[in-house]
Amino acid sequence: MWTTTFVLTLLYFLIQLGTGFSILAIAPASLVSACRLTKAQFVVLGFSVGASATGILLGALSLFVTDIWLQFATLVVVSCFGLAWSLPSWCPSPNEARAAATWCILSLPIALLTWWWSFGAFSSFPFADIGADVHWMKTAQEYADGGIINPYAAQSYVDLRSGVAGALAGTLGLELLRFTWTYRFFSILFFLLASYAFVQGVYPTSARKWIAFFFAATSNAVALMTNGSLAVVSSVVFLGVLISNAPREANAISARSVLLLTIAAGATLLLAFVLNNNTLVLALLIAGLFLLRIFGGAGRYGAVFLLGCIWPATLVLAHRGSYLFVPIAVASWLMYLAMARMNSAWPSPSLAVLRILSFVLPPIILGIVVSVVGMRFGYIPSMSANDTFSSITELMLGRRIEGGEELFLGSGPLVATIELGRTIGPVLSICTTLGIGCWWMTRPALRNTSGAIGARGDRFVTLVWSWVVGCGLSLAVLSGFPFLYRTSAIILSLFTITATELFSQLFVDSDRSPRYRRALTAAAVALLGTALVILVYAFAWRAELPVARYQAVLRPVELAGVALLVALALLTLIQSRRVSIFALAGIVGLGMAIDKIGLSGINRSYSYGTLPDRTAIVSHYNADELELAHWLRQNLRKGIILSDPYTMGIVRATTGAPVVYLFSNLDTVNEMTATRAKSVVRTILQPAEGDQRLASTCSLIAPLMASISTEVLFQMRRADALSGIMRSVRSARAPGQAPPPADVAAALIPEIPPEEAKAAIKNILGTGENAWELVAIITPRTIEWTHLAANQRLGYFPPAEPIEPTIIDALRAGPFPVLFANRQTVVVRIPCSR
C-alpha cells in the first residue's frame, strides 16, 4: 500500500510538472537560453506554473466533462506532451550526469532527516497534524466522489494539491491520508532542487555552489509545499535568475533593461491585483506566451518579458503573498546592481557606508529581539503597533487589524520573532555575524594596483550584498507587520550566501589559510552546537516546561549529532587540506541541521501547547473521531455537518462533506458565526422538553442556514460553478466595515418564528429521497467549545475522557435521532426540515 502511494505521489509531481511544461512550450524554446535558465531553474518555473494551473484547468474541464476518468486522461496527455516537448530543456545531459548524481547523494539523506524532524518524529500513522490540510483534502475527496472541483471549498484560492490528488484518488485509488505523508518527503526534495537552482544563479560557474547548496539544504526550514511556500521558494529562485542575468562587469549593466524589467514586474502585479481572479491571470499568462511565439520570442526584450511578466504572474497564481515576495526579490536584485555599480571604482565612499551597516544592523536586530523577550516575560511594558499598521492595511486591503482575525494572528513583533527564529537558527546567525566581523577586519576587498576592483570583486559584492540586504529584511520582519515573516525563506537564502562566501574566502580561496584557524573554527562551532543541545534543545531546565516532552522525542538524534560534530572536529587536524576543509564544511552544515532539529521541538510547544500525558504524537484527532469520520463516509453521503471546528476538520478532510460554517484555520472562526453555532449546540444539549428543544434549535439554525456558506450551496445544487471558478481571491468587506464586538455578537442573532424557520431550512435542505440531512456531532471537545469566551481557544490535542453517559441518554430520549455513537462521539440528526 505504501509503495502504491509512493508511486502515485511521484506521478502527482510529474503530472503537474508536465502541465507546466506544456504551458511554457507555447513560448519559443530559444527563450530559455536567452534568459540563461539552467535546467534546475527551468524545472522550478515549470512546476510553479503547473502546480497552480492544474487545479484551474481541471475545474474548468469538469464544467464540460463529468467523467473523472476522462478528465484525468486529458491531463495525463497534456502532461506527457509537456514532458516530451521540453525534454532538452530539463533532462540532464551526459556532461551534467555527475552534477545530478552529486545532488542526489546530498539531497536524499538530508531530505529524509528533514522529513523526520519536521513530521515523522511526531506522527504515527494514521494520526498526524492535518490541521493545515483540511481544506485541500476536503476539496480533493469531494472531487474524487463527484467529478467536479468545488471552487468554494477553499477560503480564497484552490490549493495546489486538490486537483491532481483528487483525480488520482477518484481514478487510481490514492488514499489522501497516506498521501499527506509521502507528499511531505517529495516537497522537501523539490525545495532542495529550488535551493540548488537559486545558488546556480548566484554561482553560475563557481564550484562554491556546492558549498552553498549544502548549507542551504541543511538549514532548510520549509518542509511542506503549500501555495504560500511554493510562491516564496519560487521567488527565491526568481531572485537567483535575476542575478545570473546581470552582467558580472558592473559597467556592462544596461540601465534600460533594468528599468524595463522593474516596470514590467510592477505592471504585472498591478494588473493581477486589479483583475483579482486567478483564472483570468492564467489566461493572460498563456496569451503572453503566445505573443512571445508570434513575435519571435528571443528578441531584444524577450528575456525582459519572461522575467518581468511571466515569472511574477506565475507567483501570483500560486499565492497572493507574491504581491510581497516579488517586490522584495526585485528590490534585492536592484540592491545587488547598485552595490556592484558603487564598488566599480576606487575610492568609493559607499565602502564606508557598507562597513558601518555591516556592524550596526546586527546589534539593532539583537536589541529588538531582547526587547520582545523582555515584553513577553513582563520585564518591559508591552507595546502594540497594530494601530499604526491598521492605517496601512486599511489603505492596501480595505480593512483594519481586529482582534480574532487572521491579520491580528499574523501580526506583532512576538510572532515575527518566533517565526524568524525558527527559520534562522543560532548557529547560522552567530557564526555568520562573527565571520562578518572577522572578514571586515582582515580583507575588506581585493583590488589591483590601479585601484580598480580586482578579479574577485564580484565575490566582495555578493558577500556584502547578501549580508546587508538580509539584515535589512530581518529588521523589516521584526517590525511585526502582518505576515511579513513569510519572507523568512528569502532572508535565510541571503544568509546562506553570506555563510558560503565567508567560508570560501576565509578557508578555501586562500592557499595560506593556516590549519589552526580551521581547527579553531571547527572547535568553536562544535562547542556552540554542543552547548545548544545540552542547555536548550535536548534537555529542559524543568520537567514541567511545555517543551520538555517534545525535546525527549528528538534527544537521541541530537546527541548523535553532537558525537558526529566532535568526530568531524578531530578530522580538521588532519594534514590533508582537502579533508580538513570538507570536515569543516560538514561541521558547519551539521550545526545548522542540529539547529533545525532542536528548534523543531521548541517551536512545537508554541504551535500546539504542552504535549499531554501518555501522548507521543501531534494530532488533533484520535481513534474515536477517525472511526466517526469513516462511518460518516460510508453511511451519510448527503449530510451537512455542525460541530466544533476541530471535529469538523477531520470529518471534512476524510469524507468531503460540507459544513455549516467555514474556517481558515482550526482555531480561526468568525466570532459571530461561532456564537451562533455554539448556541445551536447548547440548545440541543439543554434539559428541556423535546418539542421546545426542537423549536428553539430550529429558530437558531434558520439564521445560520440563511447565510450558509456558498460551499454547501455549491455541493447541493452546483449551479454556480463557473462564477465560482472565476471568483475573487480577496474578501469583499465594504470599506470601513468592521466586525461586531464579541460581547454583542450573540445579541445580533435575529429571532425568527418557528414556522418561518422551518420554511427557511426546508428551502435549503430540500425534501424527498435525495434530501440533504443536517447532523450535529457532539464530543467532549464540542461541549467545551460551547462554553469558551470569544477570546479563548481550544487546546490542540483531542480529549482523553469519554463523553458522559448521561449526555448520550439525554440525546437518545430527545427529539434528535441518534445516528451513531462511540466512546467519545455522538451523531444526531436535526429534523428541522420537516
Side-chain angles (χ1 to χ4, degrees), residues 91 136 322 413 437 478 500 579 704 768 775 784 804-805 808:
C91 185
W136 80 259
S322 299
L478 291 174
T500 301
V579 174
L704 191 61
V775 299
E784 179 187 359
E804 295 181 10
I808 300 179

Side-chain angles (χ1 to χ4, degrees), residues 2 24 30 33 129 191 231 250 307 317 430 449 500 516 532 540 584 660 671 695 705 737 757 760 806:
W2 280 108
L24 293 178
S30 58
S33 58
D129 170 30
F191 291 143
L307 297 180
L317 276 178
I430 293 175
T449 55
T500 301
Y516 80 86
L532 287 171
L584 182 57
V660 170
E671 292 178 5
M705 298 293 285
Q737 180 182 357
T806 55

Side-chain angles (χ1 to χ4, degrees), residues 195-228:
S195 298
Y196 182 68
F198 168 66
V199 300
Q200 275 188 314
V202 181
Y203 305 114
T205 58
S206 174
R208 67 204 320 129
K209 66 184 176 184
W210 288 112
I211 300 176
F213 169 68
F214 179 66
F215 289 168
T218 54
S219 64
N220 172 53
V222 187
L224 176 64
M225 186 185 299
T226 61
N227 291 66

Side-chain angles (χ1 to χ4, degrees), residues 444-492:
L446 293 174
R447 299 183 177 276
N448 56 33
T449 55
S450 64
I453 200 163
R456 297 184 181 181
D458 59 322
R459 299 176 184 177
F460 167 80
V461 172
T462 301
L463 174 59
V464 179
W465 161 77
S466 59
W467 176 248
V468 171
V469 174
C471 290
L473 288 177
S474 299
L475 280 177
V477 169
L478 291 174
S479 68
F481 190 80
F483 296 115
L484 196 59
Y485 66 81
R486 290 183 174 177
T487 62
S488 297
I490 301 177
I491 300 173
L492 178 62

